[in-house]
């Protein structure tokens, strides 16, 4: 699984929905390039600061980040 940075319009929308989250918004992507979804078919997103992002890459939670 890897992360793909969302565009500024989507990031603004996500920040409006979840104002308590600070950092950069990313969409979770499956290894085959498809969007990762939950059981209801909704796309999965995460918001991380630079330190959390580095930790998740170091711990191999995500394989890479696309910008």
């Amino acid at each position: 699984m890897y992360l793909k940075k969302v565009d500024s319009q989507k990031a603004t929308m996500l920040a409006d929905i979840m104002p308590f989250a600070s950092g950069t918004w990313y969409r979770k992507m499956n290894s085959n390039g498809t969007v990762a979804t939950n059981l209801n078919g909704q796309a999965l997103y995460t918001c991380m600061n630079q330190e959390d992002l580095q930790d998740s890459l170091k711990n191999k939670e995500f394989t890479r980040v696309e910008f």
Side-chain angles (χ1 to χ4, degrees), residues 3 5-6 9-10 15 21 23-24 26 28 32 38-40 42 46 49 52-53 56 61-62 66:
L3 298 173
K5 186 176 176 183
V6 300
Q9 183 178 5
K10 185 69 169 181
T24 304
Y26 300 95
K28 294 182 179 182
N32 63 4
N38 64 12
L39 295 175
N40 295 327
Q42 298 168 318
T46 188
N49 61 35
D52 292 336
L53 179 62
S56 68
E61 182 179 354
F62 300 106
E66 287 186 3

Side-chain angles (χ1 to χ4, degrees), residues 7-30:
D7 61 47
S8 59
Q9 183 178 5
K10 185 69 169 181
T12 301
M13 185 191 81
L14 291 166
D16 289 344
I17 295 169
M18 293 174 266
F20 52 84
S22 62
T24 304
W25 284 97
Y26 300 95
R27 176 180 288 138
K28 294 182 179 182
M29 304 293 290
N30 293 317

Side-chain angles (χ1 to χ4, degrees), residues 46-61:
T46 188
C47 185
M48 289 191 217
N49 61 35
Q50 190 63 30
E51 185 178 319
D52 292 336
L53 179 62
Q54 293 302 322
D55 286 345
S56 68
L57 291 170
K58 181 180 173 185
N59 296 329
K60 298 186 181 357
E61 182 179 354

